[in-house]
Amino acid sequence: MPTRLHPSILLIASFSMINNVSLALQTTTIPPLIDVPTFSLSTLGPKKNDNLTSQLNSKDVSAKKSTMNILTYASPISIKPHRMWSVSLYKGTLSHENFARERRGVLQLLSPAHAARGDPEAGELIRLLGGCSGRDVDKEMRCADLGFEWTSLECENDATNMDCDRTDWPKVLPSCLYYLKLELVGDLIDCGSHEVALCRVVSIISDDEVQSASEELNYISTRKLRNMGIISELGRVVE
């Protein structure tokens, strides 16, 4: 019995023969240039001194030090019974190490202000958070020098809402559009160069103006960063 081809395949074949169009494809190492939001993940780690073990076991947030990175592999994946997000963490980084140990962090949606400021050039904040390691650079001090002093995450119902408890949560970058407090569910999933974390959203924090916006949020996207020459087509920070 002859094999029947799908009508769409016949249509494409007919179009190719009539118009002499070649449909040959080629493999490439360049990923698709999709446009996605740019986040920063804030995590807690030990301060640099001799009491690392006691710091890691401490519940006192003042005994630990916050660090941040740039993260674009983040996406909502479920809304019920709990709102869930996935984030992908590059192995060997301080953020990966901290999140794997603490099992929590704050995902921050960056605004255009974070890419516009910089001395002597725009994008210095992005290059600092995404191109330097917290093991080598005091990112908190450098961010303060750029006008972005890290602060504790507060919301109006701090006193009554356990989701707003600041214990064991890292500091955050000011001027972000949204802050998502994330807690790891289960174990990290090994995906090669990265490990994926499936996270429950403990709380979402933003100001009234952003929450009541009727139009799409004006966040900083990877397309804007590429156009500004801050990241490459491969998604890496341009030094």
Side-chain angles (χ1 to χ4, degrees):
M1 181 176 180
T3 302
R4 298 183 62 184
L5 297 177
H6 192 278
S8 62
I9 298 178
L10 293 173
L11 179 61
I12 293 173
S14 300
F15 177 83
S16 301
M17 289 187 291
I18 295 173
N19 296 277
N20 196 27
V21 176
S22 173
L23 297 179
L25 301 176
Q26 296 180 349
T27 58
T28 177
T29 58
I30 301 176
L33 295 180
I34 56 177
D35 189 29
V36 297
T38 304
F39 298 91
S40 174
L41 180 67
S42 182
T43 58
L44 278 173
K47 294 181 178 179
K48 292 183 178 180
N49 61 34
D50 296 332
N51 299 319
L52 296 183
T53 302
S54 62
Q55 289 180 47
L56 294 177
N57 294 330
S58 175
K59 294 297 182 181
D60 181 8
V61 70
S62 64
K64 300 177 182 179
K65 183 175 179 61
S66 300
T67 192
M68 301 182 190
N69 68 353
I70 293 296
L71 188 149
T72 57
Y73 294 169
S75 177
I77 55 175
S78 182
I79 57 174
K80 292 180 179 181
H82 303 291
R83 194 173 294 276
M84 300 282 293
W85 274 59
S86 67
V87 295
S88 186
L89 305 167
Y90 192 68
K91 290 180 182 178
T93 62
L94 189 56
S95 293
H96 171 269
E97 178 183 309
N98 288 346
F99 194 87
R101 182 187 59 252
E102 299 291 326
R103 300 180 63 85
R104 60 170 51 189
V106 180
L107 189 65
Q108 310 168 104
L109 180 57
L110 302 186
S111 70
H114 296 115
R117 296 187 187 181
D119 183 16
E121 58 183 332
E124 186 170 349
L125 180 72
I126 303 295
R127 291 187 174 92
L128 168 64
L129 296 180
C132 301
S133 171
R135 297 187 179 95
D136 306 321
V137 176
D138 189 332
K139 293 187 178 182
E140 183 173 6
M141 183 178 67
R142 292 278 300 277
C143 283
D145 292 340
L146 294 173
F148 292 97
E149 185 174 353
W150 296 1
T151 182
S152 297
L153 186 57
E154 301 180 12
C155 51
E156 292 181 354
N157 50 351
D158 264 350
T160 58
N161 191 343
M162 291 301 295
D163 289 347
C164 292
D165 184 7
R166 283 169 285 177
T167 303
D168 261 3
W169 289 102
K171 293 180 179 180
V172 297
L173 196 67
S175 303
C176 292
L177 298 174
Y178 271 90
Y179 302 92
L180 281 70
K181 288 185 173 182
L182 303 180
E183 284 189 339
L184 178 63
V185 176
D187 297 324
L188 293 172
I189 303 171
D190 192 344
C191 296
S193 61
H194 289 66
E195 286 192 320
V196 171
L198 303 182
C199 304
R200 181 177 72 90
V201 179
V202 176
S203 61
I204 302 174
I205 300 173
S206 184
D207 61 37
D208 292 338
E209 183 177 349
V210 171
Q211 293 184 41
S212 61
S214 59
E215 299 180 356
E216 185 177 348
L217 288 175
N218 185 27
Y219 55 82
I220 185 67
S221 69
T222 51
R223 177 185 298 166
K224 293 177 182 177
L225 294 180
R226 284 194 299 267
N227 291 340
M228 296 174 69
I230 298 174
I231 64 173
S232 69
E233 292 184 350
L234 296 176
R236 301 190 181 106
V237 171
V238 176
E239 298 180 0

